[in-house]
């Protein structure tokens, strides 16, 4: 079994945090949209803003990928 002894870079950390935030936003989206399909009362409008965590997570992960790529490119 291989063990990674490298310390994670800041870009890797951004990608991990972005993935977690994206998953939270995806779950929030499913919970928020479910009443629309189930025929129950929809959530109030502020609940839909929590769904924006998906976009925020995607942007964090993308920033981490770019940061890691730039760090590998520099000598």
């Amino acid at each position: 079994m291989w063990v990674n002894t490298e310390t994670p870079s800041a870009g890797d950390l951004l990608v991990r945090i972005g993935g977690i935030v994206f998953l939270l936003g995806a779950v929030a989206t499913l919970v928020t949209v479910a009443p629309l399909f189930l025929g129950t009362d929809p959530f109030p409008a502020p609940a839909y803003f929590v769904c924006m965590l998906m976009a925020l997570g995607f942007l964090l992960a993308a920033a981490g990928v770019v940061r890691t790529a730039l760090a590998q490119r520099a000598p």
Side-chain angles (χ1 to χ4, degrees):
M1 181 164 81
W2 298 96
V3 177
N4 187 3
T5 58
E6 296 179 12
T7 55
S9 67
D12 293 339
L13 186 62
L14 272 175
V15 170
R16 290 177 183 165
I17 292 172
I20 292 169
V21 172
F22 182 86
L23 288 176
L24 288 173
V27 170
T29 301
L30 290 174
V31 169
T32 305
V33 175
L36 300 175
F37 291 111
L38 298 175
T40 60
D41 291 333
F43 286 105
Y48 289 93
F49 288 110
V50 179
C51 299
M52 293 304 292
L53 287 176
M54 273 178 55
L56 178 64
F58 182 79
L59 289 175
L60 284 172
V65 168
V66 169
R67 187 171 183 172
T68 302
L70 289 176
Q72 288 179 355
R73 186 174 176 209

